[in-house]
Amino acid sequence: MTENKFKYIGRERRTKEDKRFVIGAGNYVADIARPGCLHLAVVRSPHPCARIAAIRTEKALALPGVHYVLTGAELEEYTKPLQQYLDTPNVRWYSLAVERTRYAGEWVAAVVADSRYIAEDAVELIEVDYEPLPFIIDPEAALLPEAVAVHPKHGSNVIYRRTFSWGPVAEDFSKADHTLAFRTRWHRSATVPLETFGVISEWGPGQDILEVWASIQMPQYVEQIAAALKMPQNNIRVHYDVDVGGSYGVKRGIKHTVMVCYLAKKLGRPVRFIEDRLDNMSGGDMHGPDRSFDMKVAFDKSGRINSLKIRVLDDVGAYPGRSPLQLGKPIGAIVGAYRIGSVEYEAISVTTNKTGQVAVRGFGQSPTNVALETAIDRVAAYLDLDRLEVRRRNFIRPEDFPYLIPSGTTYDSGNYPAVLDKALNLADYERMLVRRDELRASGVAAGIGIATCLEPSGGNSAFEGLLNPSNESTTFLEAVMVKVDRNGTVTVIINTTTSGQGHETLVSLIVGEELEREPDQIRVVHSDSLNGLWTHSPVGSRMAIMMGGAAAGAAKKLKRDLLRIAAHNLGVAEDELAYDSGTISVAKDSTRKLSWEQLVIIAHRQYQKMPAGMEPALQSTFVLEVPSGGNLPTPDGRIQMYPCHSFQAHVALVSIDMGTGKPTILDYSIAHDCGTVINPHIVRGMIYGGAAHGIGAAFYERFAYDEGGQLLSQTFMDYLLPSVHEVPEIRQTEHCTPSPLTSHGQKGVGEGGYLGAPAAMASAVNDALAPHGKTLDTLPMRIRDIWECLNLA
Amino acid sequence: MKAASFDYVRAGSIGEICELLAEHGPMSKLIAGGQSLVPMMAMRLTKPSLLIDINEVKELKGISAQSDNLIIAGGTRQHQIEASSEVKRFCPMVQKALFWVGHPQTRNRGTLGGSLVHADPAAELPLVSVLLDAEILLQDADGEESVAASEFFLAPLVTALRPDQCLVRVSFPIWSGAVGGSFHEVSPRRGDFAIVSAAAQIALDEAGNCSRVAVGLGGVAATPIRVFAVEEAILGGGLAKTQLHELARLAADEIDPEGDLHASAEYRREVAYVLIERALTDAVQEARARMGASS
């Protein structure tokens, strides 16, 4: 392990946020009590597709305590449709169904009452006349020309379709010694935060400000509320000091928010909507990618992979929103960790009568990584080579960085062979092989899973313009303000909610490091959308890089101001000064110095001692654009997607009960490289949680629909999350290849566990099945699926 | 997921429970641990107008061995049964079943009676009561009635309990001889309702021959079932390993399970076969070990 050159960064320090959560003093949206607050409940459609002939609300309105019933027709009249990120003007999406329902569970009406209990009583009294219409559930069938269109005015179910070709694909395939093809299926799953989505809104008529408290993790939240409500953005105040009880991408909530804001303003009372689990699972923002990959691989007899052809079909459900862009982000790491010279990528996004898809951790990367890592294992099996050897032969080598992949992204840094070796050492791989074979000899199926994953980080919006040429925005900034008060204490202002990432810890460590002030004594506060600066929220593993980088930038500016003040008062040039923990002295005569306190007094109170023309007081802001950002895509669809590229290697041993198909993870090791670790606890927690999340996607979690378009897994009885019994102890070790693009060499780490684990589990199960001549390429690999694979022809 | 409006009363005795049930009938519901009832109320799958809380009724709690029976009162918490030395000594099969029931948190609240009257066809306690020929004592304002477990479970979530009756206690017969038992199940995750469960208990006489046997399955029919054909074959002398294999096949071929999200009908049948064989093998092995230990 390299020596840690930092004072606070990378040290085993407690996180700043733990205390309030451990003592039960978090401030979640459901904890926010507004006087006179009304409660909302929704009527859910039982039909996957039906014309709404009539909604009769009289009985509900007659119930004591009921204030209002809102329908889609009213929303259509007074609000604008919610944003689509592709150029699809005829896909119109509102908070409540307008004219027809497009999935079972879609919200058709909303009741506002004195309590959620009364609101639910009233929901039962609302009579909706539905005229059922034909619907489509299967994504392949939805592609066919004769398929029923989910949005008839759009003309078909195809929301996005483009074939990218980067490099000499046809030539590479024709020259290859071998080719192989296979299909992987990633069924619809998600992330399941303990806290469902919730929002409270209140209209302050005196100030004409719409207040919003929400459990939110979403870029462009405020401007989309403003657009939908046709309201100036500075009439809306989103409070970012609300703790968010988990998100991992899904806490978007724009449809909830527009409806609640509209009602709060209309009724002149605070309105609150806290989803219950049924609202959340069936009709909320909960369903992630739902994909099949048709993979073709061209490779030579040594196992070197020359080219890939990927056709991916993603079922985005009824309302696409931002979700088609989840086919875009994987382009930034389309070759994974490997030197693959050319790639064809056909990306198809299709609507069906299912719940709309939303962003999930990794933004489409995890299903893609399963397909890529399966390709490596297949090549190894085809050539009868060791899976590790094939990976090593194809790895981008340490000396290759910065490395340009065919689709236009340059990877910043990495050392993949070293990280893989660390994972193998941690797993005691030779011993693991012996153990696997002993298990096989004892009559169970057993397999070792090997997977690597690239984690593109530093969250950028490059895929927006790539998939939608009419969108020329290339900026995905993050801002931080640092200020020192008259008593010398430091406060940092950040401009987004936090859903478990530990932003307060992050910026206090970075500002503390830069100013050499104790991080525990640095206050970090969340602004609101009116009094703070700008954010694009914690998406795409970006905040260590972006918020951390902005915090470093602001602290450095503030330190320069201190040096300028000191130079002026000590009568020397700035470059003749030494800075030590806030005290500034003349480098060659340390008796001539000004303490932190003295500098603060000058800045705040003694204008006569300030350099001419300098602003009084001590504060600085820094707005950071994504490193390597600011570019539009080339016509052939190449672009620098994200700036930084973390890497992980997963090694796991899985046994399978041949009689029941039940898998057990016996051993699990992960080696990871996210550059400079800022707080080891947060990094380890992210990796453990991410891997647990990936184990869920690999074995348990599935939003399954029946042929009638009904969602079968609406509660935790049927949507199965892995628990402490299923997630094993996971050993971790780290490697550090600093990023040259970030303030302290850090990269992102919020997604890698989830990107590696499903691929590792698929690899383990297939290694276990291999002696039985079987393969299983569908996730989740439920016990019934494994059993059927083993026992049925 | 908010329950519809209901009234609540806390009962102090079985007599009071029966009076309340007689007065309010089908619109009233008893609540003990609430581990199944409360989620069903929250989802408005059931809307009782009166909840009768029986948690304070002392007569509904306790475990005692009386002559040939182990008696467990209906309101006894599952975790107390799990920890009871009497259950371990006289009827360890109940603890083997409890090993698979939920989680410590749910067993701390859940009761024996609550699980039986809920009658989930995949639940473990209904299976063990059918397996062991338990007698279930029901009481209403007019008096007591004893129902055999085999006649208690009628369909998924449907039992012989009338709306004016309270489940008072359950008698599990205590087996004599060298007794071995085993409970196997498969579920996607630890603590879930079983996809399939199989239980077997066997008693050997001094010569090592089977003197009594019970084999049951859960999750494969509308109620927990016994596999009498297998029991008869074992009593007829079939204890060898190869025979157990064939008997398990016989049992699996007799059932007609249904498929759902978590398992196909075929999966249930074939896994029933696997689990019965395991349960029988383990039960025989344990009984033989007991026989060895006592001689």
Side-chain angles (χ1 to χ4, degrees):
Chain A
M1 188 85 31
T2 49
E3 189 66 23
N4 182 354
K5 63 186 180 192
F6 300 112
K7 190 170 182 186
Y8 302 116
I9 286 174
R11 304 289 173 190
E12 296 281 343
R13 296 172 60 94
R14 288 206 171 173
T15 62
K16 233 174 167 52
E17 296 85 351
D18 282 357
K19 183 178 172 186
R20 72 171 184 272
F21 296 132
V22 170
I23 67 172
N27 180 45
Y28 297 97
V29 64
D31 296 323
I32 292 161
R34 304 300 302 172
C37 191
L38 300 175
H39 299 252
L40 184 146
V42 290
V43 177
R44 293 187 292 263
S45 167
H47 301 286
C49 189
R51 194 178 85 82
I52 301 168
I55 302 177
R56 284 187 296 280
T57 62
E58 300 79 8
K59 287 181 192 163
L61 286 167
L63 190 72
V66 173
H67 291 257
Y68 202 71
V69 177
L70 179 67
T71 63
E74 181 176 342
L75 273 179
E76 188 193 22
E77 189 174 350
Y78 295 104
T79 68
K80 284 190 177 170
L82 305 174
Q83 180 167 334
Q84 297 300 316
Y85 284 78
L86 298 181
D87 204 3
T88 52
N90 291 315
V91 174
R92 292 166 68 81
W93 181 31
Y94 291 91
S95 307
L96 299 171
V98 173
E99 291 171 7
R100 66 159 67 193
T101 70
R102 290 185 169 85
Y103 61 92
E106 184 173 6
W107 304 340
V108 170
V111 179
V112 184
D114 284 338
S115 73
R116 172 79 190 205
Y117 288 89
I118 296 171
E120 289 193 26
D121 291 344
V123 162
E124 295 187 333
L125 298 174
I126 290 175
E127 295 164 345
V128 185
D129 292 343
Y130 296 102
E131 293 169 3
L133 295 167
F135 58 89
I136 187 95
I137 292 298
D138 178 68
E140 293 284 358
L143 274 181
L144 301 174
E146 67 270 24
V148 172
V150 176
H151 297 271
K153 286 181 184 160
H154 179 68
S156 82
N157 289 313
V158 177
I159 290 295
Y160 184 78
R161 182 171 209 157
R162 179 172 174 186
T163 303
F164 298 88
S165 191
W166 304 296
V169 177
E171 193 186 332
D172 286 344
F173 265 80
S174 68
K175 284 186 188 165
D177 295 337
H178 308 285
T179 62
L180 61 78
F182 63 93
R183 165 174 264 227
T184 62
R185 181 77 173 90
W186 174 286
H187 279 293
R188 184 172 276 242
S189 60
T191 68
V192 183
L194 186 58
E195 178 204 45
T196 58
F197 182 78
V199 55
I200 300 173
S201 180
E202 180 174 342
W203 174 250
Q207 289 196 312
D208 290 348
I209 288 181
L210 187 73
E211 310 280 355
V212 180
W213 296 266
S215 171
I216 197 73
Q217 181 211 358
M218 181 180 173
Q220 302 127 27
Y221 182 58
V222 196
E223 56 255 48
Q224 290 188 25
I225 301 171
L229 295 174
K230 298 183 254 190
M231 191 183 268
Q233 190 175 324
N234 66 359
N235 281 23
I236 301 166
R237 173 156 49 205
V238 176
H239 295 259
Y240 294 135
D241 58 350
V242 177
D243 286 319
V244 178
S247 170
Y248 325 102
V250 300
K251 286 281 179 66
R252 303 287 158 151
I254 188 67
K255 70 179 172 189
H256 317 54
T257 303
V258 167
M259 168 170 75
V260 166
C261 288
Y262 172 80
L263 286 164
K265 185 157 187 285
K266 177 168 183 90
L267 301 178
R269 295 269 299 269
V271 176
R272 133 184 167 136
F273 178 33
I274 310 287
E275 288 181 327
D276 67 21
R277 195 61 66 181
L278 292 172
D279 298 329
N280 178 254
M281 300 282 271
S282 66
D285 288 343
M286 263 306 284
H287 295 203
D290 183 351
R291 293 189 179 173
S292 51
F293 290 84
D294 287 298
M295 303 288 290
K296 293 195 176 104
V297 192
F299 52 103
D300 68 23
K301 55 184 181 291
S302 73
R304 277 283 291 126
I305 296 171
N306 306 318
S307 187
L308 292 175
K309 289 183 186 172
I310 304 171
R311 179 223 191 227
V312 52
L313 175 64
D314 195 16
D315 177 351
V316 293
Y319 297 100
R322 193 174 173 80
S323 58
L325 303 181
Q326 296 196 85
L327 289 173
K329 180 186 165 185
I331 291 172
I334 199 66
V335 294
Y338 308 107
R339 284 176 290 139
I340 299 172
S342 64
V343 181
E344 181 184 286
Y345 182 68
E346 183 184 12
I348 313 164
S349 182
V350 68
T351 50
T352 62
N353 292 104
K354 296 179 189 162
T355 303
Q357 187 189 112
V358 291
V360 160
R361 194 180 215 153
F363 210 63
Q365 192 78 31
S366 196
T368 311
N369 200 54
V370 172
L372 284 174
E373 287 296 294
T374 303
I376 305 292
D377 282 0
R378 286 296 154 83
V379 168
Y382 185 96
L383 297 171
D384 198 22
L385 288 172
D386 185 273
R387 292 174 291 166
L388 295 168
E389 187 54 34
V390 173
R391 283 179 171 78
R392 289 190 179 110
R393 286 179 191 174
N394 285 284
F395 270 153
I396 298 163
R397 296 158 300 197
E399 62 271 25
D400 294 334
F401 292 96
Y403 182 83
L404 176 65
I405 67 169
S407 51
T409 289
T410 297
Y411 292 174
D412 55 333
S413 66
N415 188 339
Y416 307 152
V419 176
L420 179 61
D421 284 345
K422 280 191 175 182
L424 295 169
N425 286 337
L426 189 64
D428 196 352
Y429 184 67
E430 293 305 318
R431 173 76 195 96
M432 188 180 265
L433 283 169
V434 172
R435 198 175 162 202
R436 178 194 67 180
D437 295 342
E438 286 169 357
L439 284 162
R440 287 178 177 175
S442 77
V444 301
I448 293 175
I450 312 250
T452 71
C453 62
L454 255 287
E455 180 178 359
S457 53
N460 199 354
S461 62
F463 42 71
E464 292 189 22
L466 181 59
L467 270 60
N468 182 2
S470 70
N471 182 344
E472 292 198 353
S473 68
T474 64
T475 316
F476 217 63
L477 55 84
E478 195 66 30
V480 167
M481 177 189 284
V482 179
K483 58 184 194 175
V484 182
D485 59 37
R486 282 162 66 100
N487 288 332
T489 60
V490 179
T491 299
V492 187
I493 298 160
I494 60 175
N495 306 288
T496 180
T497 48
T498 298
S499 39
Q501 298 89 348
H503 298 146
E504 294 165 34
T505 302
L506 166 74
V507 298
S508 68
L509 288 172
I510 284 184
V511 171
E513 189 73 41
E514 291 294 338
L515 296 178
E516 300 173 35
R517 309 296 289 175
E518 168 55 46
D520 285 350
Q521 288 163 21
I522 295 174
R523 171 72 57 188
V524 181
V525 297
H526 298 252
S527 72
D528 63 50
S529 63
L530 289 178
N531 69 16
L533 286 168
W534 323 114
T535 184
H536 280 280
S537 86
V539 294
S541 281
R542 74 194 294 268
M543 283 317 204
I545 294 161
M546 294 302 298
M547 185 185 274
K556 284 191 168 104
K557 277 166 84 174
L558 196 128
K559 190 169 159 185
R560 280 203 296 277
D561 286 348
L562 289 167
L563 287 164
R564 193 173 158 202
I565 295 167
H568 180 70
N569 283 278
L570 294 170
V572 296
E574 283 173 44
D575 59 9
E576 294 173 70
L577 295 170
Y579 183 102
D580 181 9
S581 303
T583 295
I584 300 178
S585 56
V586 177
K588 288 181 179 164
D589 178 5
S590 62
T591 62
R592 292 170 61 203
K593 61 183 177 186
L594 285 167
S595 69
W596 174 268
E597 289 73 20
Q598 289 170 312
L599 290 163
V600 169
I601 286 169
I602 293 169
H604 270 290
R605 305 169 198 244
Q606 298 174 338
Y607 194 59
Q608 72 279 15
K609 294 184 182 173
M610 290 288 278
M614 193 173 169
E615 284 179 31
L618 276 173
Q619 59 285 314
S620 66
T621 60
F622 195 95
V623 186
L624 181 65
E625 161 65 339
V626 180
S628 79
N631 306 300
L632 287 169
T634 61
D636 68 344
R638 294 171 204 251
I639 188 153
Q640 177 75 36
M641 195 68 69
Y642 280 16
C644 302
H645 299 81
S646 301
F647 178 77
Q648 296 187 6
H650 293 224
V651 178
L653 177 64
V654 173
S655 70
I656 294 167
D657 181 333
M658 301 272 285
T660 65
K662 185 159 179 161
T664 303
I665 306 168
L666 299 172
D667 202 89
Y668 202 143
S669 296
I670 299 174
H672 49 88
D673 180 356
C674 60
T676 302
V677 168
I678 301 204
N679 181 287
H681 295 287
I682 290 178
V683 167
R684 289 195 288 262
M686 281 291 188
I687 287 166
Y688 191 85
H693 184 188
I695 288 168
F699 289 124
Y700 306 102
E701 301 180 38
R702 179 169 167 185
F703 286 113
Y705 284 81
D706 67 14
E707 288 175 356
Q710 298 296 322
L711 177 61
L712 297 174
S713 30
Q714 297 196 35
T715 73
F716 292 152
M717 287 281 283
D718 292 313
Y719 189 89
L720 306 180
L721 294 167
S723 78
V724 67
H725 298 292
E726 283 74 45
V727 180
E729 240 183 89
I730 296 174
R731 291 195 298 276
Q732 300 186 19
T733 187
E734 67 186 54
H735 185 84
C736 179
T737 315
S739 174
L741 304 176
T742 60
S743 66
H744 297 85
Q746 71 271 34
K747 303 178 180 181
V749 75
E751 298 171 346
Y754 180 62
L755 307 184
M761 294 301 102
S763 172
V765 168
N766 279 289
D767 187 41
L769 296 175
H772 305 274
K774 306 278 187 173
T775 56
L776 179 57
D777 294 319
T778 299
L779 299 190
M781 303 171 289
R782 301 168 301 177
I783 55 176
R784 64 176 294 177
D785 302 319
I786 296 173
W787 182 86
E788 282 166 13
C789 181
L790 270 170
N791 290 284
L792 306 183
Chain B
M1 293 173 78
K2 302 290 186 198
S5 179
F6 59 88
D7 288 326
Y8 168 91
V9 60
R10 181 178 288 175
S13 67
I14 294 176
E16 193 183 340
I17 292 170
C18 293
E19 280 170 33
L20 286 162
L21 288 172
E23 185 184 342
H24 297 278
M27 293 312 290
S28 59
K29 266 281 191 194
L30 305 188
I31 182 164
Q35 296 302 294
S36 300
L37 179 60
V38 170
M40 288 176 71
M41 289 172 63
M43 287 193 273
R44 300 195 176 205
L45 297 172
T46 180
K47 297 182 199 174
S49 58
L50 175 68
L51 270 195
I52 304 167
D53 183 342
I54 61 171
N55 283 294
E56 297 292 303
V57 179
K58 291 198 175 54
E59 307 148 85
L60 286 177
K61 293 176 194 292
I63 300 166
S64 61
Q66 292 172 7
S67 61
D68 293 336
N69 289 292
L70 180 82
I71 316 280
I72 306 179
T76 309
R77 306 278 176 211
Q78 290 161 8
H79 104 87
Q80 287 173 298
I81 303 170
E82 197 180 358
S84 159
S85 56
E86 281 169 307
V87 176
K88 187 176 181 185
R89 183 171 165 204
F90 296 113
C91 206
M93 197 66 211
V94 177
Q95 291 179 342
K96 286 176 177 167
L98 274 168
F99 172 83
W100 298 98
V101 176
H103 299 277
Q105 295 89 335
T106 66
R107 295 194 297 272
N108 282 342
R109 296 295 305 164
T111 62
L112 171 63
S115 176
L116 298 190
V117 301
H118 183 61
D120 189 296
E124 293 83 0
L125 292 171
L127 171 56
V128 82
S129 66
V130 167
L131 181 83
L132 298 181
D133 287 321
E135 284 285 323
I136 299 171
L137 190 79
L138 311 176
Q139 189 172 331
D140 64 15
D142 298 326
E144 294 180 347
E145 175 191 3
S146 185
V147 179
S150 58
E151 289 168 11
F152 184 73
F153 302 102
L154 303 179
L157 312 190
V158 180
T159 68
L161 182 84
R162 292 196 314 271
D164 60 348
Q165 286 179 313
C166 168
L167 188 156
V168 174
R169 61 179 176 266
V170 183
S171 299
F172 292 95
I174 297 170
W175 288 25
S176 55
V179 180
S182 176
F183 197 110
H184 279 263
E185 90 171 36
V186 63
S187 57
R189 302 172 304 175
R190 181 71 196 275
D192 284 332
F193 279 106
I195 290 177
V196 181
S197 50
Q201 181 158 298
I202 190 160
L204 301 180
D205 63 20
E206 286 167 9
N209 296 318
C210 177
S211 57
R212 193 171 180 182
V213 64
V215 181
L217 284 168
V220 299
T223 65
I225 58 168
R226 288 277 286 276
V227 196
F228 295 110
V230 172
E231 295 175 10
E232 283 160 20
I234 290 174
L235 282 172
L239 273 184
K241 199 168 176 59
T242 51
Q243 286 169 303
L244 296 184
H245 187 79
E246 283 164 23
L247 291 174
R249 188 70 257 167
L250 171 70
D253 290 342
E254 284 217 339
I255 59 175
D256 185 21
E258 288 185 6
D260 62 17
L261 175 63
H262 300 296
S264 62
E266 188 169 21
Y267 179 93
R268 283 200 161 84
R269 180 180 304 105
E270 293 307 308
V271 171
Y273 156 65
V274 169
L275 296 187
I276 286 186
E277 185 176 5
R278 290 179 188 177
L280 282 172
T281 305
D282 290 355
V284 169
Q285 192 179 356
E286 186 177 273
R288 285 184 175 148
R290 290 265 154 75
M291 204 171 72
S294 60
S295 63

